[in-house]
Amino acid sequence: SIATKKGTDYATVGSPDDINLGDVSLVRLTGASGQTLNGITGGRDGEILTIVNASSANATIADDAGS
C-alpha cells in the first residue's frame, strides 16, 4: 500500500503553464471543461505525484510543451 498527502482539488480552464501544486503527492483535477496542463513546477527529487481526473471533462498533460 501507499499513503499519499492529498492537496487541494485543482480546477482550471484552458491551458495553464507551470502550475505549482504544492508539497503534496495526490491532486484531483476537477475542472468543469477540458484542460491541458503545460507544465508542473515545485517538484523535488524522488517525488511521486499522483494526478486523478475527477471531472467528467478531458484532462491532458502535455509532453514537452515548452513552457
Side-chain angles (χ1 to χ4, degrees):
S1 70
I2 184 171
T4 57
K5 181 179 177 183
K6 182 183 178 296
T8 303
D9 290 350
Y10 186 79
T12 188
V13 295
S15 302
D17 294 327
D18 300 328
I19 60 171
N20 188 333
L21 299 172
D23 186 21
V24 298
S25 53
L26 172 65
V27 174
R28 292 173 6 113
L29 302 177
T30 58
S33 62
Q35 53 192 334
T36 300
L37 307 182
N38 287 323
I40 299 171
T41 64
R44 61 190 180 279
D45 289 346
E47 177 180 23
I48 297 174
L49 176 62
T50 302
I51 300 174
V52 176
N53 184 9
S55 169
S56 60
N58 290 335
T60 302
I61 300 172
D63 179 34
D64 200 18
S67 59

